[in-house]
Amino acid sequence: MELGQEILEREAVRTRPDYRLFLPRETGYRDDNVHLHVVRHTTDGKLFAVWTQSTYDGYGNNHAVFAVSADEGMHWSEPKYIVGCTEDHSGEDVQASWAIPVVSPAGRIYVIYLWETDNDDRAEGGFCGVFRVISTDDLGQTWSEPAVIEAPVTPYDYGRSQRNVIFQIPTHLADGTWLVPFTKWTSMRRQGPVEQRDEQDSRICFFILENIDKSPDVNDLRYSFLPESSMISLPYPRKPSVSVAQEPALVRLPDGRYFCSMRTAAGFVAYSVSSDNGLTWTAPEPVRFRDGTLFLHTLSPAPIYEIGEGKYALLYHGTGDVDANDRNPLYRAVGSFDPDGKQPILFDLSERELFMRLPDEANIPGHDSNQLAMYASACRIGGRTVLWYPDRKCFLLGKYLD
């Protein structure tokens, strides 16, 4: 189905964006667009974007694409296929999902993604596989052959093929390494069937990219997975033997600690803090406003981004009905570093605002839900922080976050 200009113009402005990155013009292979990461190139200063594209979420043809902007995000090149299922089935037709970029100081771009394998233990193959990495030295024109990032087998995995998903761009540590948080879902062959998806056992894990700043070839990339003692887990309220801690987002605090927000199945956003570069983490607790009010939130991304020195914006939905999984509307809470606080970012209700809301009549053909799931990223443009986000997992837009 072709999406006419009238539909595009009507629907693309629902969330009042400041930038437009990509609007698919017909339903099909390019219709679903998620896990959007916009990064500034380290040598020529251009912005580039990497995201996962498909016909729709769970369809089975996930592939990674790449686009470039030469004018600070106002205009973007047409998305260029990188890896994964091809539209005409001319390639390997294996899914490449949840691609995330990292760029070295010398300008080599690495893209890490989950490569589907035949040892899948759930219907959607895009959630089970092995990490692979490719690189480019010419801003996405050509790409290296892939190399595997081999994750160790833990008690939560059935084998080498694992249900691991990276949600946000890795964090550059002071020692020049990169900390990569990811969600590990326990293999269905370990946990067994569940009645609903919020009962799926999961926890947050980490690995380190050790030498990217030296621009190695992908086969020479050094990495190390942090031990199981570094994992973050949070008991599921209705079944405490199950952990539900997912989709970590990290910010660096002015004192060198790291604050991690995460989605849960407990009806609120949770956080944890590390003072040793991710090796150990505090037990997760609910994020609260100054007066103790919870950040009520369904099972949806709740990312946090730095928007100024010691200032942060956290995005959440404002509803604790996990069963409904309502991802609309979206609130923004602004907080400031509190060095003496148990929760080291202090949020005040007076600085909370409604950030986006989709009305009931909002409708993109081919998309059956008005969700604002923030599989998003943020970068600085002209001294301001821009959130790059998927609107209804379809349109890719930018909006000032500060």
Side-chain angles (χ1 to χ4, degrees):
M1 175 189 299
E2 184 174 341
L3 301 182
Q5 193 64 32
E6 180 182 352
I7 293 175
L8 294 176
E9 291 303 323
R10 182 192 71 216
E11 295 300 327
V13 299
R14 295 284 193 188
T15 57
R16 299 183 180 180
D18 299 295
Y19 297 86
R20 297 184 183 186
L21 194 160
F22 177 66
L23 309 181
R25 297 192 172 269
E26 59 183 5
T27 58
Y29 180 71
R30 298 173 179 82
D31 193 28
D32 197 72
N33 297 277
V34 293
H35 287 253
L36 172 61
H37 304 292
V38 175
V39 178
R40 188 174 297 281
H41 196 260
T42 50
T43 56
D44 70 8
K46 292 179 182 177
L47 296 176
F48 68 89
V50 175
W51 70 92
T52 298
Q53 190 176 78
S54 66
T55 298
Y56 59 79
D57 199 3
Y59 182 83
N61 62 351
N62 288 352
H63 52 282
V65 295
F66 188 94
V68 179
S69 174
D71 59 0
E72 296 292 273
M74 297 307 299
H75 301 90
W76 290 84
S77 64
E78 281 296 309
K80 184 176 181 180
Y81 167 90
I82 303 175
V83 65
C85 291
T86 54
E87 185 170 14
D88 60 1
H89 307 289
S90 61
E92 291 183 82
D93 259 6
V94 177
Q95 293 192 90
S97 308
W98 333 127
I100 60 107
V102 188
V103 58
S104 76
R108 175 169 285 178
I109 299 170
Y110 300 84
V111 169
I112 302 170
Y113 56 94
L114 191 69
W115 183 247
E116 181 183 10
T117 62
D118 59 4
N119 188 25
D120 187 16
D121 64 357
R122 84 178 257 171
E124 300 173 16
F127 286 90
C128 192
V130 297
F131 286 136
R132 275 189 172 186
V133 58
I134 53 178
S135 67
T136 178
D137 293 318
D138 52 17
L139 210 59
Q141 295 302 306
T142 59
W143 293 87
S144 72
E145 291 296 312
V148 173
I149 295 178
E150 199 73 59
V153 178
T154 74
Y156 311 105
D157 305 307
Y158 184 71
R160 179 173 179 263
S161 182
Q162 300 174 13
R163 300 172 65 199
N164 299 331
V165 176
I166 303 173
F167 167 54
Q168 292 284 279
I169 296 169
T171 298
H172 201 197
L173 302 180
D175 63 1
T177 62
W178 293 80
L179 180 64
V180 187
F182 64 97
T183 306
K184 177 179 288 293
W185 273 269
T186 296
S187 166
M188 289 296 186
R189 302 189 189 216
R190 298 293 187 199
Q191 184 183 8
V194 296
E195 293 182 3
Q196 51 197 46
R197 75 184 187 95
D198 66 328
E199 296 180 16
Q200 292 175 7
D201 192 64
S202 56
R203 52 204 29 84
I204 293 167
C205 305
F206 302 86
F207 68 93
I208 299 286
L209 297 168
E210 298 175 353
N211 63 336
I212 272 186
D213 279 8
K214 296 181 180 179
S215 300
D217 292 337
V218 291
N219 287 306
D220 297 321
L221 184 63
R222 295 200 309 271
Y223 55 87
S224 55
F225 283 76
L226 296 188
E228 289 179 38
S229 58
S230 300
M231 295 180 180
I232 301 174
S233 59
L234 183 69
Y236 177 64
R238 296 196 289 260
K239 191 180 295 183
S241 62
V242 171
S243 166
V244 182
Q246 303 166 0
E247 294 179 349
L250 304 185
V251 289
R252 186 180 187 276
L253 302 174
D255 62 4
R257 291 181 293 167
Y258 289 89
F259 182 99
C260 176
S261 67
M262 67 197 78
R263 82 177 193 181
T264 77
F268 53 76
V269 183
Y271 79 95
S272 181
V273 178
S274 175
S275 58
D276 54 10
N277 290 339
L279 189 60
T280 60
W281 292 87
T282 60
E285 298 186 48
V287 180
R288 297 181 184 273
F289 288 95
R290 182 198 297 265
D291 68 352
T293 300
L294 290 171
F295 279 59
L296 296 178
H297 192 63
T298 187
L299 196 64
S300 181
I304 186 170
Y305 301 104
E306 184 176 2
I307 59 173
E309 183 62 35
K311 292 194 69 177
Y312 308 91
L314 193 153
L315 301 171
Y316 70 107
H317 292 302
T319 172
D321 189 350
V322 177
D323 293 334
N325 197 26
D326 191 354
R327 296 175 166 185
N328 179 38
L330 185 74
Y331 290 88
R332 180 192 66 168
V334 174
S336 300
F337 175 57
D338 181 9
D340 300 319
K342 181 180 179 182
Q343 178 181 297
I345 300 178
L346 180 64
F347 295 95
D348 197 285
L349 276 170
S350 65
E351 295 204 60
R352 179 193 70 168
E353 70 169 5
L354 179 65
F355 193 53
M356 299 181 200
R357 183 193 293 275
L358 292 170
D360 292 341
E361 66 269 20
N363 176 39
I364 302 175
H367 291 257
D368 59 3
S369 64
N370 286 341
Q371 61 170 291
L372 295 170
M374 287 296 104
Y375 292 99
S377 62
C379 70
R380 300 286 288 180
I381 299 177
R384 298 191 65 182
T385 302
V386 176
L387 176 76
W388 296 96
Y389 61 98
D391 175 358
R392 287 160 280 182
K393 295 189 176 181
C394 183
F395 298 157
L396 299 182
L397 307 170
K399 187 179 178 74
Y400 290 118
L401 187 58
D402 51 11

